[in-house]
Amino acid sequence: MEAHLTELQHFLPTSYYLPTRATDNRSPLTAFGTVLHYPHHKTIFAKGDEASFFFGVINGAIRLSTTAANGDRTIAGFALPGDFFGIQWLGQHTLTAETIDDATLVCFGSKRLARLSDENKVIRAELFSILRHSLWATQNHLANVSRHCAQERVATFLVELMDRSKKVNRRDVDVPMSRQDIGDYVGLTIETVCRVLTELRQKKIIDIPNRREIVIRNEPALRAVAQPES
Amino acid sequence: MEAHLTELQHFLPTSYYLPTRATDNRSPLTAFGTVLHYPHHKTIFAKGDEASFFFGVINGAIRLSTTAANGDRTIAGFALPGDFFGIQWLGQHTLTAETIDDATLVCFGSKRLARLSDENKVIRAELFSILRHSLWATQNHLANVSRHCAQERVATFLVELMDRSKKVNRRDVDVPMSRQDIGDYVGLTIETVCRVLTELRQKKIIDIPNRREIVIRNEPALRAVAQPES
DNA sequence: CGCTGCTTTGACAACGCTCAAAGATAGTGG
DNA sequence: CCACTATCTTTGAGCGTTGTCAAAGCAGCG
């Protein structure tokens, strides 16, 4: 585990979704972590593993999932640049974290962080904020998956991806996850995800130049599909 | 807002679901709260309200929900005796909390709690633990709702209710929420919930003596329906 | 260049939703 | 105390959306 503290200068702004958080703050945590590189399709930790570390994403994409006894996989969320995941004071991780892309992460030892947070009010507030944000995002996702039709779910996923994108031109969305991942995230089969995507393409709402890129051609229309009025 | 600190003696053990937490601990928070009584079908706070207070349930049942623009309601969870809800350092509540039953709650002022947690390590750890538990429960619920059939969802709901029950005879489950509430919780229509319940009754897995009581006649069978093998 | 794995499209069946109506229960007033 | 009413629950019939199964298309990689 090598430390490249100089690289922490590149750590991206924390993007929280929470309306109360400014999106242009760098996290106060960045000064204390260790930078690590992971190749794609690598398990960072598995559900049930002792939670010795906690991570922030500098670059790449992570999927956080749980797999049932019958093999059904649920992806609870994706961690993108600026996000944190695996926060767990002590005890075990409740989800499995795997890289989708090659990824650069910042890693924090749980014990060290616990000590730091006892001493430092700012760190403490930051950790609490991260945890609250995770809860908020999960609740939102639950509401999306719980009672919406296929079109609404996929459209909501795309809007989310667009809004979280760090790109200048947000219309050109990078899709690092596979169709299967999307399906496991929104609670649909891979076939239904494909069908919805082609439908949106036929309606000229999106374009699909290649499998890991989606262009939003008509953002208002996409948002309308995601959040049906009345 | 009256204080009845003596009543806090009756505060129930915190029941966390988390395997790492003992279920027979009283929460260290109980010494600092104010006891309040709410009648049934009363709003405690609404989504978007300034989060000045945070609550623990002594008695009764609370539903935590969010309602979409089109009127669709999603119930993110139920708070039962021993549970906490509405934890939000500052900013706004992300869900609406309403009583289902008449309820006795302990109420904590956010500012006071923030001050206490800065001074007291035990309180701090407790709050963190409560928040982590909420996240864990929501992730679990998401996995249940995301990709399971109607029978599995309703059976999982019943198992959950049974396991959280404080009764000596856990087979005899109190169901304070309406069928509509159950539907909004597991992501099904009220009709489907009813159909599944009658199906389970016909299979002699449960009995339904009245609308707010369900008797588990065959617990292994119910658990099998909830978690299909292979 | 051919393989492998992922994605897309199609046909069909099934599960759950919608609409409708009857049945049960609780709350209210005579 | 009972009848009446409003609300909630249960059951039924038909339809639509999504899942299943199958096969073709496509892209990356040795």
Side-chain angles (χ1 to χ4, degrees):
Chain A
M1 195 170 296
E2 309 167 73
H4 299 284
L5 291 180
T6 52
E7 295 199 26
L8 286 168
Q9 301 307 322
H10 305 303
F11 196 77
L12 289 161
T14 56
S15 75
Y16 276 74
Y17 275 175
L18 277 180
T20 51
R21 279 191 69 93
T23 53
D24 54 354
N25 291 336
R26 281 164 195 279
S27 171
L29 286 173
T30 49
F32 304 106
T34 303
V35 172
L36 294 171
H37 296 279
Y38 281 85
H40 66 290
H41 291 275
K42 180 111 183 174
T43 301
I44 299 166
F45 55 77
K47 182 175 176 173
D49 282 0
E50 205 57 35
S52 316
F53 296 97
F54 148 73
F55 301 86
V57 183
I58 297 177
N59 235 310
I62 312 294
R63 75 175 164 233
L64 300 160
S65 65
T66 176
T67 303
N70 61 5
D72 276 358
R73 189 181 62 165
T74 303
I75 293 181
F78 297 105
L80 302 180
D83 295 334
F84 294 92
F85 65 94
I87 194 168
Q88 203 74 32
W89 230 226
L90 33 86
Q92 292 143 10
H93 284 297
T94 56
L95 296 168
T96 295
E98 295 153 308
T99 52
I100 293 171
D101 254 352
D102 293 353
T104 309
L105 307 177
V106 214
C107 167
F108 308 92
S110 295
K111 285 182 184 171
R112 179 156 180 241
L113 213 55
R115 216 175 332 110
L116 277 168
S117 90
D118 269 340
E119 297 160 6
N120 186 328
K121 191 171 175 174
V122 176
I123 297 282
R124 194 151 69 222
E126 177 72 2
L127 291 171
F128 208 82
S129 172
I130 289 167
L131 197 53
R132 244 187 9 188
H133 174 260
S134 298
L135 178 59
W136 176 86
T138 308
Q139 285 171 350
N140 264 27
H141 183 49
L142 177 66
N144 178 34
V145 164
S146 180
R147 237 169 184 320
H148 286 55
C149 70
Q151 279 212 350
E152 291 165 8
R153 295 188 202 189
V154 174
T156 303
F157 166 74
L158 290 176
V159 167
E160 199 185 304
L161 215 54
M162 181 174 63
D163 288 345
R164 290 170 79 179
S165 171
K166 295 291 186 302
K167 287 194 179 182
V168 181
N169 179 12
R170 291 171 138 201
R171 303 289 149 81
D172 198 348
V173 180
D174 179 44
V175 186
M177 59 290 286
S178 70
R179 299 291 187 261
Q180 183 66 60
D181 287 340
I182 299 173
D184 289 347
Y185 179 59
V186 299
L188 297 169
T189 59
I190 185 174
E191 292 96 330
T192 304
V193 172
C194 279
R195 270 187 268 268
V196 170
L197 286 177
T198 56
E199 229 172 308
L200 292 174
R201 182 165 46 94
Q202 283 163 358
K203 288 180 183 170
K204 299 185 190 299
I205 294 174
I206 62 171
D207 254 339
I208 311 173
N210 60 67
R211 52 174 68 176
R212 69 168 287 168
E213 202 174 338
I214 289 179
V215 179
I216 313 298
R217 295 180 60 181
N218 187 345
E219 185 180 333
L222 185 66
R223 288 188 189 273
V225 175
Q227 293 190 1
E229 321 295 319
S230 75
Chain B
M1 197 170 296
E2 308 169 73
H4 300 283
L5 291 180
T6 51
E7 295 199 26
L8 287 168
Q9 300 307 322
H10 306 302
F11 197 77
L12 288 162
T14 56
S15 75
Y16 275 74
Y17 275 175
L18 278 180
T20 50
R21 279 190 71 94
T23 53
D24 53 354
N25 290 336
R26 281 165 194 278
S27 172
L29 286 173
T30 49
F32 304 105
T34 303
V35 172
L36 295 171
H37 296 279
Y38 282 84
H40 66 290
H41 291 275
K42 180 114 184 174
T43 300
I44 300 166
F45 53 77
K47 182 175 176 174
D49 281 359
E50 205 58 34
S52 316
F53 295 98
F54 147 74
F55 300 86
V57 183
I58 296 177
N59 236 308
I62 311 295
R63 75 174 166 234
L64 300 161
S65 65
T66 176
T67 304
N70 62 4
D72 276 357
R73 190 182 61 166
T74 303
I75 293 181
F78 297 104
L80 303 180
D83 295 333
F84 294 92
F85 65 93
I87 194 169
Q88 203 74 33
W89 229 225
L90 31 87
Q92 294 145 7
H93 285 296
T94 56
L95 296 168
T96 295
E98 296 155 307
T99 51
I100 293 172
D101 253 352
D102 292 354
T104 309
L105 307 177
V106 214
C107 167
F108 308 92
S110 295
K111 285 182 184 173
R112 178 156 180 241
L113 214 53
R115 217 176 330 109
L116 276 169
S117 90
D118 269 340
E119 297 160 5
N120 187 328
K121 191 171 175 173
V122 175
I123 297 281
R124 195 152 69 222
E126 177 72 2
L127 290 171
F128 209 84
S129 173
I130 289 168
L131 197 52
R132 245 187 10 189
H133 174 259
S134 298
L135 178 59
W136 176 86
T138 308
Q139 285 170 351
N140 263 28
H141 182 50
L142 178 65
N144 177 35
V145 164
S146 182
R147 239 170 183 316
H148 286 53
C149 68
Q151 279 212 350
E152 291 165 7
R153 296 188 201 189
V154 175
T156 302
F157 166 74
L158 289 176
V159 167
E160 199 185 304
L161 216 54
M162 182 175 60
D163 289 345
R164 289 170 80 179
S165 171
K166 295 290 186 303
K167 287 194 178 181
V168 182
N169 179 12
R170 292 172 137 200
R171 303 289 149 81
D172 198 348
V173 180
D174 180 44
V175 185
M177 58 290 285
S178 70
R179 299 291 188 261
Q180 183 66 60
D181 287 340
I182 299 174
D184 289 347
Y185 180 59
V186 299
L188 297 170
T189 59
I190 185 175
E191 293 96 330
T192 304
V193 171
C194 279
R195 270 186 265 269
V196 170
L197 286 176
T198 56
E199 230 171 306
L200 291 174
R201 182 165 45 93
Q202 282 163 359
K203 288 181 182 170
K204 298 184 191 298
I205 293 175
I206 62 171
D207 254 339
I208 311 173
N210 60 67
R211 53 174 67 174
R212 70 167 287 167
E213 201 174 339
I214 289 179
V215 179
I216 313 297
R217 294 181 60 181
N218 188 345
E219 186 180 334
L222 185 67
R223 289 188 188 273
V225 175
Q227 294 190 359
E229 321 295 318
S230 77

